[in-house]
Amino acid sequence: TARATDRKLPQTPRAAPFLDPRRPSFPPPRPPQRRGLPPAKCNSSAASGNLEGVEATMVLTDDEIYAIKMMRMGDDDDAPVLNAMQAVKAATLGGSADIDVHWILYCGTLVFMMQTGFAMLCAGSIRAKNAQNILLKNLLDACVGAILFWATGYAFAYGQSGSDKNWFIGNNWFFLLKGYEGAAGYHNWFFQFAFAATAATIVSGAVAERCSMAAYAGYSAFLTGFVYPVVVHWVWSPTGWLSAWKATGNKSALLNVGVVDFAGCGVVHMVGGAAAGIGAAVLGPRIGRFAGENPGPIKGHSMPLVVLGTFFLWVGWYGFNPGSTLYIGGVSTVASRVAVTTTLSAASGGVANLFIHYRLSQTYDVAEMCNGILAGLVSITSACPVVEPWAAVVIGPIGAVFYTLGAKLLVKLEIDDAVNATPVHYFAGCWGLLAPALFARPQHMREAYGNADVAGLFYTGQGNMLACNFVALIAITIWVGALMTPFFILLKKAGWFRVPENIEIEGLDDSKHGGSAYGIELAAADVRKAAERV
């Protein structure tokens, strides 16, 4: 169990409690807990005035403990009494295991609901003749991902065996055995699984309409069972080499800060986005996309599904980002700020991308506004707890620019990403991973990470965080490229990666799934006759 004393906050002088302007609003929220570990237990004796053991089990500053003692002594000044009551309330709430577990399960459910968003978005973005196929692949992501994350994924991400603290990969709790239940908690596995499934599902749209089912299931297993969990261990495990949670005050973290990636801009989105781009490049474009008689963009069949999927994903992000506090008691201010910055980045990214693509095409493209919203959501995922609302309004539109540049680059390279998953998740994700290094406010770094020594370049002129996050950007890209490129190439060489050309032309629903997703079976002759009558 993580102890409150693991990360001590800078403390104010005992002689002048509650008056130091450097302190946040009272009571200060405790820094987010190390990902994957259970919340600290609350010593309920604090509520009765017994302070013995409180400092070891609650996040109380010296000022708050002093105020509680003043309350017990009957101090004439009402201010310490009122503040002490708030401190006890915050500490008691913060240590409530039931409340924290409920928060994690609730937010994990929202994150898992993002699978619905991916399914709707992908289905609407492709042709109707392949709708069932892409829906089945989204279902496979959830099912295969759950099994592999249970078997090996969580162990590689967070498993630690005794004193063996591996900086590269976890080594315990395979199949959730060897004391997992007593050391962590099932709610943590559920929350982390939802993130792993999200990373895997990003690829489904990029390789849509021509990828074989067996190859896709194999990819999903490999990513959720090994590739993604190793990156999680690097950044979110206390022993990972890029972790911001390595020691008290983060003093032993890389460059005194580690990687600030609060909800997974690099860990989740860059991993999934890089794998999507590599898969699409190795698999090759769809028939008619860049060659043939009339090459060009291949339109999706249902804009309502695209918009519905986008809204589902946006809602899911309110579990993805605020839920990454990993508990709610005592950090409600941080979680609330995260919700606000998430909203503003999405909104500004959507509006910016709408007008960017209007200037490029002279049309108000609904799909591009949806992608702008998603690019804004991806871009804020790292920085959401440490930036001001105004910064979120800046970060979202820059994410839309990165998305647009990434989409143009893929077309130039003739890489056919059917839903633009790579530009949204990898290119906007690269920007999002760097954003906190520029915009992180010192007070918010203290509140969210317990680190008052390092903040964004624009506030302090420090380059520590920028260097750390850039190292993570390069490391994640190399790791995913080094593993997924040969994996996809081997699938292609074995003839397992792509469906035959005649099946691709006919449509995967008719050839593999028994007919249209919408129950519409029209012979080609009937279609021609109907067209002649019109």
Side-chain angles (χ1 to χ4, degrees):
T1 300
R3 291 167 59 90
T5 52
D6 284 347
R7 295 191 300 276
K8 291 185 180 295
L9 300 181
Q11 296 174 349
T12 56
R14 175 69 59 86
F18 320 118
L19 301 178
D20 191 330
R22 295 172 299 173
R23 295 190 59 193
S25 58
F26 198 93
R30 50 180 174 159
Q33 162 203 348
R34 297 165 178 172
R35 293 190 65 112
L37 300 178
K41 298 295 186 288
C42 173
N43 186 335
S44 60
S45 62
S48 62
N50 181 10
L51 300 178
E52 183 178 355
V54 170
E55 291 182 78
T57 55
M58 295 183 186
V59 177
L60 292 178
T61 66
D62 283 350
D63 291 347
E64 293 158 1
I65 295 171
Y66 172 72
I68 295 172
K69 290 178 179 177
M70 289 295 98
M71 179 176 65
R72 293 179 62 200
M73 293 171 60
D75 194 285
D76 293 336
D77 186 358
D78 289 339
V81 175
L82 295 175
N83 282 305
M85 294 172 64
Q86 293 175 1
V88 172
K89 180 180 178 181
T92 304
L93 179 64
S96 171
D98 289 343
I99 293 173
D100 291 336
V101 168
H102 175 78
W103 172 250
I104 287 293
L105 293 177
Y106 170 73
C107 290
T109 302
L110 286 179
V111 176
F112 187 69
M113 281 296 293
M114 293 174 76
Q115 297 295 321
T116 305
F118 281 116
M120 296 298 98
L121 177 66
C122 291
S125 299
I126 63 174
R127 291 166 289 189
K129 65 180 182 178
N130 297 310
Q132 280 204 79
N133 184 263
I134 196 67
L135 293 174
L136 182 56
K137 286 172 180 172
N138 277 270
L139 289 168
L140 274 175
D141 273 324
C143 296
V144 173
I147 294 170
L148 266 294
F149 200 69
W150 162 71
T152 63
Y154 192 90
F156 287 142
Y158 293 108
Q160 299 177 33
S161 179
S163 61
D164 185 8
K165 309 299 183 184
N166 194 304
W167 61 269
F168 186 83
I169 191 171
N171 56 9
N172 194 21
W173 299 335
F174 294 97
F175 301 96
L176 301 187
L177 299 175
K178 294 188 177 180
Y180 169 79
E181 185 174 2
Y186 289 128
H187 57 290
N188 289 304
W189 180 90
F190 172 70
F191 187 72
Q192 300 298 336
F193 147 70
F195 276 65
T198 299
T201 307
I202 290 170
V203 183
S204 62
V207 297
E209 301 197 284
R210 74 269 199 205
C211 179
S212 74
M213 191 65 64
Y216 189 81
Y219 143 79
S220 184
F222 186 44
L223 191 87
T224 54
F226 182 68
V227 179
Y228 166 79
V230 172
V231 179
V232 172
H233 187 82
W234 293 353
V235 180
W236 286 340
S237 170
T239 61
W241 68 284
L242 294 174
S243 177
W245 308 117
K246 294 187 71 170
T248 300
N250 301 331
K251 296 300 182 184
S252 68
L254 183 64
L255 298 181
N256 194 35
V257 61
V259 174
V260 175
D261 187 8
F262 188 74
C265 208
V267 175
V268 179
H269 295 287
M270 282 184 61
V271 169
I278 295 167
V282 174
L283 185 59
R286 292 167 289 177
I287 296 172
R289 177 63 179 95
F290 296 114
E293 295 181 2
N294 297 298
I298 299 174
K299 297 288 187 179
H301 80 282
S302 176
M303 192 56 64
L305 285 180
V306 172
V307 174
L308 179 65
T310 301
F311 274 119
F312 265 116
L313 289 170
W314 193 342
V315 171
W317 240 283
Y318 292 122
F320 204 95
N321 286 1
S324 290
T325 58
L326 299 185
Y327 51 81
I328 190 59
V331 293
S332 58
T333 299
V334 176
S336 300
R337 180 168 60 248
V338 168
V340 171
T341 56
T342 299
T343 302
L344 293 175
S345 185
S348 60
V351 172
N353 209 49
L354 176 67
F355 286 101
I356 288 172
H357 286 267
Y358 178 78
R359 292 296 301 270
L360 295 174
S361 65
Q362 300 304 306
T363 59
Y364 292 110
D365 194 320
V366 177
E368 291 299 348
M369 185 168 189
C370 290
N371 283 334
I373 290 170
L374 297 177
L377 288 166
V378 170
S379 298
I380 199 63
T381 300
S382 285
C384 50
V386 297
V387 300
E388 291 286 297
W390 68 262
V393 177
V394 175
I395 289 170
I398 297 176
V401 172
F402 271 75
Y403 155 78
T404 301
L405 293 175
K408 296 294 183 184
L409 178 62
L410 292 191
V411 172
K412 188 175 182 63
L413 298 175
E414 296 192 354
I415 297 175
D416 181 18
D417 185 332
V419 301
N420 276 335
T422 308
V424 166
H425 295 279
Y426 179 76
F427 288 97
C430 287
W431 155 243
L433 188 58
L434 301 178
L438 302 178
F439 294 101
R441 184 183 176 190
Q443 178 176 322
H444 295 342
M445 279 294 296
R446 177 190 173 185
E447 293 170 352
Y449 281 88
N451 188 342
D453 300 327
V454 181
L457 184 69
F458 294 158
Y459 283 92
T460 64
Q462 298 172 338
N464 304 40
M465 195 189 308
L466 184 61
C468 285
N469 283 28
F470 185 75
V471 167
L473 187 155
I474 299 299
I476 290 169
T477 302
I478 292 175
W479 172 253
V480 178
L483 271 67
M484 298 310 302
T485 301
F487 180 81
F488 285 132
I489 290 175
L490 286 174
L491 287 176
K492 185 174 183 178
K493 293 291 185 183
W496 299 337
F497 201 9
R498 187 164 186 150
V499 299
E501 182 176 323
N502 64 311
I503 292 179
E504 183 178 347
I505 293 173
E506 179 185 354
L508 278 72
D509 286 2
D510 282 339
S511 59
K512 297 291 185 180
H513 306 291
S516 168
Y518 303 99
I520 301 172
E521 305 293 345
L522 294 176
D526 293 334
V527 174
R528 285 196 297 271
K529 290 178 181 178
E532 290 171 359
R533 286 196 297 270
V534 172

